[in-house]
Each structure stands twice: as C-alpha cells, then as structure tokens.
Amino acid sequence: MITDSEKRLEAFEKMLRSVKEQYDSADERMKKLKAEGKEKTATYRQLMGNKMQLQNIISIYKVYDLLDID
C-alpha cells in the first residue's frame, strides 16, 4: 500500500524532472537561436523569461536541500 508521503514524494520527483527538462529545453533552444543571431526575437526573450523562472524554482529546491547542487 502506498502512503500519502510516498505519493507526495513521487509527485515531487515528477515535478522536479519536468522543471529540469523544461530548463534544459529552453537553454538548448536559446543557444540555437543565439547561434542564428536571433537574440532580439520575441521567442528568445520569452525563453529567457521562462528559463529565469525555472532557475528560480531550482534555486528554491536547493535552498531547502531538496536538490543536489549541480
């Protein structure tokens, strides 16, 4: 039988994976756009905002020792 604590941990791990994947995806897309000289596009700026937000979430995880420091 799965406890509530185990369900919460599983949900947290799933969310953490998603945040990391989104961060890595945004970073890769930004690098590609930068290589194409498209740093001033709306897409690049939106990705930058998303990446910063995701970085803030990751930083909070680190503050509470919920994530190993990369």
Side-chain angles (χ1 to χ4, degrees):
M1 181 179 219
I2 298 176
T3 66
D4 286 341
S5 293
E6 290 170 329
K7 286 180 186 177
R8 288 174 55 104
L9 178 59
E10 185 179 323
F12 167 77
E13 293 292 344
K14 184 177 180 180
M15 183 179 82
L16 176 58
R17 277 191 305 275
S18 176
V19 168
K20 285 179 164 182
E21 289 169 3
Q22 290 176 59
Y23 179 88
D24 291 341
S25 175
D27 188 51
E28 287 301 315
R29 289 181 63 198
M30 287 177 69
K31 286 177 183 174
K32 183 183 282 188
L33 288 170
K34 186 173 184 176
E36 296 171 0
K38 297 181 179 180
E39 297 105 323
K40 295 188 186 265
T41 64
T43 300
Y44 185 89
R45 292 178 184 195
Q46 183 176 8
L47 287 168
M48 183 183 298
N50 291 346
K51 184 178 169 186
M52 290 173 61
Q53 183 177 14
L54 294 164
Q55 180 59 50
N56 285 336
I57 293 168
I58 292 169
S59 294
I60 292 169
Y61 290 155
K62 289 177 184 178
V63 167
Y64 288 94
D65 293 325
L66 296 171
L67 181 65
D68 294 331
I69 296 177
D70 299 322

